[in-house]
Amino acid sequence: MLTTKSSLALSILAIISTTTFAETDDQDTSLSTLPSIKVKSEITEQNNNKYAATTASVLKTHLPLFKTAQSVSVISQQQIQEKQIQSVTEALQGVAGVNAAPYGRRGWDDFIIRGQISSAQTYIDGLRAQTSTNVLRSEDIAGVQSIEVVKGPTSVGYGLSLPGGLVNLTTKRPEAETFYHANATYGSYADREGIIDVNYSPNNTKQGAVRFVAKYSDQHDPTDYVYFKNTYLAASYNFDLGPKDEWSVIASYQHRDYIRNQGIPQNYLKYGRNVFIGEPDRSYDVNVYRFGSNYSHYFDNGWTYHQNFAVTKSTSWSDSVFAASGASFPTVTRQINFQDKQDVNYALDQNLQKTFNFGPVEYDAMIGVDMMKERSSYYQRVDNVNSFNANTLVYGITSVRQGTPSWNLTYNQYTGLYLKNNFKINDKWILNLSGRHDWTQVEVDNLRTGSITKNSDNAFTGSASLMYKLNDHFAPYVTYATSFMPVTDVGAQGQLLDPEEGKQTEVGIKFQALDQRLQGYVSYYDLVRKNVTEAVASTTYSMQTGEQTTKGYEAELSAALTPQWNISTAYSYIPTAKTTASTTTSDIGKRINHVPKNIASLSTQYYFAEDKQGWNIGGGVSYQGESLAQRTTYYTPIASYTLFNVNAGYQAKHWGASLSIKNLFDKDYIQGTTPNAQLITFGNPRTFTFNVNFKY
């Protein structure tokens, strides 16, 4: 039983903890915990205020990015503000190796990392937010302090994961100063948004401080009747427990009401981006409640204990109308897709860390246990309804032929025991050897038929890396890692499918300069994903199609070149992204959907004064190479495109105003397709956004 193994793993950690804490008095305890807490706080504070981040909380260690043998990108709060980013997917569009929103404006955070769909790989404060993929999430960026993207397999640190990578969102927490911030935005297509961010620090320290963030937004869309309404509330508090303990809690609520953009068949581009083929009064209604807790204790003997916990409850309901499979213009066959999804997710991660000094060798040790349990109820029924004429645009449901519903209750849980070993030798060589063992259990209860399907697995995953620090500016590295991901999909015979597996070899070089104000990397990777699982169209089951391989190069740089000039740039080249083994012979050798060979971006911001008061201007350019989407008889080429953005603003001590123009030259382009490759989705035309802010 998984519960027995979970208890065993916890017992092992407890024994280790007990023996560790009972160390004898002759050990060196000259390093007090108070300075270590100050160092940790200073690193966090500096990183929050930097344009080019030097650390990432997702790594769980104190090592800087420069000394981490893995490709990690961090979108800092300053970058989010300067680029006037309004969503997580928009932020990811400037990250090397990432193709964001490949399916268009669905209302979800869709993204591909290193050629692999990774939309379900979203973490919040280091904990997985959701495993099921029936209805994905869209986190509000108003509550996000920074966005961290880890490329490649991450199972050693996070258990269940696909090999492409993950996205971790760090939430805004109390800071060591009292401030009152407010923002109001108005933009194209009736885009209205208001944000309040209040932090109260009674003693000008983080201990005892409280923070409240609230946002409301209402945005229409270039496609008729499509809209996105969002409400977000979050309150967080840091307890004052003295110098040896840190405890922060956060509670948040998000409500979304939206109608997603569906697109149109590729052979009917003449109808343009404004044609909506659903029903205007049928939307998605989504609620997400979350409570998180982060606790750390610093022992006198140098050990540190960290605990990270979160519980997330989400509900999603919709009776939206969509184009049926094989729909074409001008007469579109349509269906009502009834969906009722209720999820509860519990996640816990705890570990012990200590640094040992053995002369020329500095050894960082971490041992931890993490667990997750998710209960997901998903009801779906697809009804056939009357057709829609794209020439007359007359809406309304006049006939319904009810379909057969499906209703599954899925339990997904795991326990993982991991050990990370990091050796720094003569301050030149950095060797990392890490391993993890996971015990997983999946149960799917079919509430219509009464059948119960169970599957238990266990797997070992590992990573090994070697880095050489040439000097304070360059550090080449090589790394190898594996991944493991149990699936909740059921095959044609009613059995749960095998777990997906992955592996990756990566070589690269990290670099930094300008007193660490410039951070970047260049890398090459060879990634393999096995047991690729895909839903079979027009059925209730999935199948494992085989194996996919991606090979590519990445380069990324973020820098505060001067106190007045910031710049960030990224480039991805993926020459190989193909199916290398498949149950369908004709698929072998085909390129993976929505994976361009080339993606590049460049953005910059210039302030006319060193204190960043007064006028500032900025701009950016992004290029996405051609790609394709194909599924059964559908084949959709997606042409390359280049977009330009500009912005200008004025910032006084207590207020500021800015104007941004995105897609400056009003480029018409196809952003992507629906997952079944039948319908194309247009990208946004030229849009204007005007923002005013108040700071006290």
Side-chain angles (χ1 to χ4, degrees):
M1 292 291 291
L2 180 63
T3 54
T4 303
K5 292 176 179 176
S6 302
S7 301
L8 177 61
L10 281 175
S11 300
I12 294 172
L13 181 59
I15 293 170
I16 295 172
S17 304
T18 303
T19 55
T20 301
F21 302 156
E23 292 177 308
T24 58
D25 293 336
D26 60 355
Q27 289 180 304
D28 183 8
T29 58
S30 59
L31 294 177
S32 67
T33 48
L34 183 57
S36 66
I37 293 177
K38 286 185 176 180
V39 170
K40 177 179 181 291
S41 299
E42 287 172 3
I43 290 175
T44 304
E45 191 69 27
Q46 291 171 5
N47 203 43
N48 285 345
N49 296 327
K50 283 185 175 181
Y51 182 84
T54 55
T55 62
S57 63
V58 70
L59 299 175
K60 300 184 183 181
T61 70
H62 63 277
L63 287 177
L65 294 176
F66 178 69
K67 294 182 180 180
T68 302
Q70 190 172 12
S71 299
V72 181
S73 302
V74 180
I75 307 166
S76 65
Q77 181 63 206
Q78 191 172 349
Q79 293 183 40
I80 293 174
Q81 293 176 356
E82 288 186 356
K83 299 176 184 179
Q84 299 192 30
I85 294 171
Q86 294 183 296
S87 68
V88 171
T89 50
E90 185 180 348
L92 296 175
Q93 288 170 0
V95 176
V98 178
N99 180 16
Y103 301 137
R105 297 182 298 283
R106 294 206 298 171
W108 305 329
D109 292 333
D110 287 317
F111 47 88
I112 295 172
I113 304 177
R114 290 190 168 174
Q116 299 296 331
I117 285 289
S118 305
S119 304
Q121 302 284 102
T122 299
Y123 289 68
I124 301 176
D125 293 328
L127 295 175
R128 178 184 280 278
Q130 178 179 334
T131 60
S132 55
T133 58
N134 306 110
V135 179
L136 295 173
R137 302 167 63 91
S138 179
E139 301 297 333
D140 197 304
I141 203 166
V144 173
Q145 180 66 32
S146 65
I147 301 173
E148 304 167 338
V149 184
V150 183
K151 290 81 174 282
T154 57
S155 284
V156 168
Y158 293 95
L160 321 184
S161 69
L162 294 172
L166 64 82
V167 172
N168 180 56
L169 311 178
T170 65
T171 55
K172 291 180 178 178
R173 296 298 180 98
E175 298 185 8
E177 61 174 326
T178 297
F179 60 75
Y180 309 90
H181 294 170
N183 288 270
T185 300
Y186 186 81
S188 301
Y189 303 101
D191 180 13
R192 292 158 291 176
E193 180 180 297
I195 301 175
I196 298 174
D197 186 357
V198 178
N199 190 91
Y200 175 65
S201 175
N203 302 310
N204 290 324
T205 66
K206 289 187 176 182
Q207 285 71 30
V210 62
R211 189 169 186 174
F212 177 73
V213 179
K215 173 187 173 181
Y216 176 77
S217 63
D218 184 351
Q219 182 180 11
H220 290 190
D221 191 84
T223 299
D224 293 343
Y225 305 109
V226 173
Y227 67 84
F228 303 92
K229 296 180 181 180
N230 190 56
T231 301
Y232 176 81
L233 302 170
S236 53
Y237 178 70
N238 287 349
F239 291 88
D240 189 355
L241 302 178
K244 294 185 179 181
D245 297 274
E246 295 178 350
W247 185 21
S248 178
V249 295
I250 184 171
S252 65
Y253 167 70
Q254 183 182 14
H255 173 72
R256 295 193 295 136
D257 173 23
Y258 66 95
I259 291 182
R260 53 182 276 198
N261 187 3
Q262 300 180 43
I264 61 174
Q266 62 170 312
N267 296 328
Y268 294 89
L269 297 179
K270 65 179 182 178
Y271 287 91
R273 61 165 57 90
N274 66 310
V275 173
F276 177 65
I277 59 179
E279 285 292 322
D281 60 343
R282 293 173 177 264
S283 63
Y284 282 83
D285 186 270
V286 180
N287 294 283
V288 180
Y289 308 83
R290 182 179 183 272
F291 173 80
S293 170
N294 305 91
Y295 173 75
S296 297
H297 180 77
Y298 301 87
F299 294 93
D300 292 335
N301 55 25
W303 284 93
T304 302
Y305 171 72
H306 296 290
Q307 185 188 80
N308 193 6
F309 169 77
V311 55
T312 305
K313 176 179 173 59
S314 58
T315 66
S316 177
W317 186 90
S318 175
D319 61 351
S320 297
V321 174
F322 298 100
S325 178
S328 61
F329 274 26
T331 302
V332 184
T333 54
R334 301 185 303 169
Q335 298 172 321
I336 301 176
N337 189 4
F338 285 96
Q339 297 182 84
D340 187 356
K341 187 167 170 37
Q342 313 280 333
D343 290 353
V344 179
N345 181 291
Y346 300 89
L348 172 68
D349 181 22
Q350 49 192 346
N351 60 66
L352 289 163
Q353 302 180 33
K354 184 175 181 178
T355 299
F356 300 88
N357 289 293
F358 303 106
V361 178
E362 183 178 290
Y363 169 45
D364 293 328
M366 177 192 296
I367 184 170
V369 171
D370 68 359
M371 305 178 222
M372 188 216 71
K373 183 173 184 177
E374 183 174 271
R375 178 188 186 275
S376 177
S377 172
Y378 183 57
Y379 174 90
Q380 183 183 35
R381 192 184 78 236
V382 178
D383 298 344
N384 292 310
V385 300
N386 54 287
S387 299
F388 172 79
N389 192 316
N391 291 326
T392 60
L393 299 180
V394 176
Y395 296 94
I397 300 299
T398 59
S399 66
V400 177
R401 188 171 73 253
Q402 195 171 102
T404 301
S406 63
W407 190 7
N408 289 329
L409 188 60
T410 302
Y411 297 92
N412 192 3
Q413 55 185 339
Y414 73 85
T415 297
L417 177 65
Y418 60 90
L419 177 64
K420 291 189 173 185
N421 302 288
N422 198 76
F423 304 89
K424 288 182 282 185
I425 306 169
N426 292 322
D427 198 33
K428 288 290 185 182
W429 294 94
I430 302 175
L431 172 67
N432 182 278
L433 299 171
S434 300
R436 176 190 180 101
H437 200 92
D438 280 290
W439 296 268
T440 71
Q441 181 174 294
V442 176
E443 177 182 324
V444 179
D445 300 350
N446 189 319
L447 299 183
R448 284 194 63 251
T449 65
S451 65
I452 298 176
T453 307
K454 294 183 179 181
N455 189 19
S456 297
D457 283 292
N458 71 91
F460 176 84
T461 53
S463 68
S465 66
L466 182 64
M467 171 179 275
Y468 181 69
K469 182 182 170 186
L470 290 171
N471 49 42
D472 289 337
H473 303 295
F474 298 97
Y477 67 90
V478 59
T479 182
Y480 176 81
T482 59
S483 68
F484 165 74
M485 181 67 177
V487 300
T488 58
D489 298 63
V490 176
Q493 306 304 318
Q495 81 286 6
L496 282 166
L497 299 177
D498 294 333
E500 292 200 16
E501 298 177 351
K503 60 181 180 179
Q504 177 189 267
T505 301
E506 178 179 332
V507 294
I509 184 169
K510 297 288 185 76
F511 54 87
Q512 64 179 9
L514 303 176
D515 194 24
Q516 300 184 6
R517 299 195 315 273
L518 182 152
Q519 298 285 325
Y521 76 90
V522 177
S523 69
Y524 167 79
Y525 60 88
D526 183 341
L527 183 153
V528 177
R529 176 184 174 189
K530 298 181 179 180
N531 297 334
V532 178
T533 305
E534 292 185 356
V536 179
S538 303
T539 72
T540 59
Y541 61 87
S542 300
M543 66 180 298
Q544 293 184 316
T545 57
E547 179 181 286
Q548 294 178 348
T549 299
T550 57
K551 300 179 183 180
Y553 303 83
E554 293 174 1
E556 192 169 86
L557 178 149
S558 295
L561 297 178
T562 72
Q564 299 167 244
W565 186 16
N566 298 328
I567 187 172
S568 63
T569 184
Y571 174 65
S572 308
Y573 176 56
I574 309 179
T576 301
K578 62 183 179 180
T579 299
T580 48
S582 177
T583 55
T584 304
T585 306
S586 59
D587 286 344
I588 298 176
K590 287 185 177 179
R591 190 164 180 87
I592 301 173
N593 287 352
H594 302 103
V595 182
K597 285 187 177 181
N598 295 278
I599 304 178
S601 66
L602 170 68
S603 64
T604 185
Q605 195 77 16
Y606 182 78
Y607 298 85
F608 287 87
E610 288 192 6
D611 61 0
K612 294 186 169 67
Q613 301 291 304
W615 291 99
N616 62 83
I617 58 173
V621 57
S622 61
Y623 169 81
Q624 182 140 314
E626 62 183 15
S627 61
L628 58 84
Q630 51 188 331
R631 196 76 175 267
T632 60
T633 60
Y634 298 97
Y635 180 89
T636 304
I638 303 172
S640 62
Y641 58 87
T642 303
L643 304 177
F644 295 86
N645 305 322
V646 295
N647 68 79
Y650 182 86
Q651 185 65 50
K653 182 178 180 181
H654 295 300
W655 68 273
S658 61
L659 174 69
S660 69
I661 306 174
K662 297 179 180 179
N663 192 0
L664 177 64
F665 300 110
D666 200 20
K667 172 73 173 179
D668 283 325
Y669 65 100
I670 297 173
Q671 184 172 352
T673 73
T674 50
N676 61 14
Q678 292 185 37
L679 305 178
I680 63 169
T681 56
F682 290 94
N684 276 326
R686 181 193 298 121
T687 57
F688 299 83
T689 303
F690 179 70
N691 175 274
V692 292
N693 66 78
F694 303 92
K695 299 180 179 181
Y696 292 94

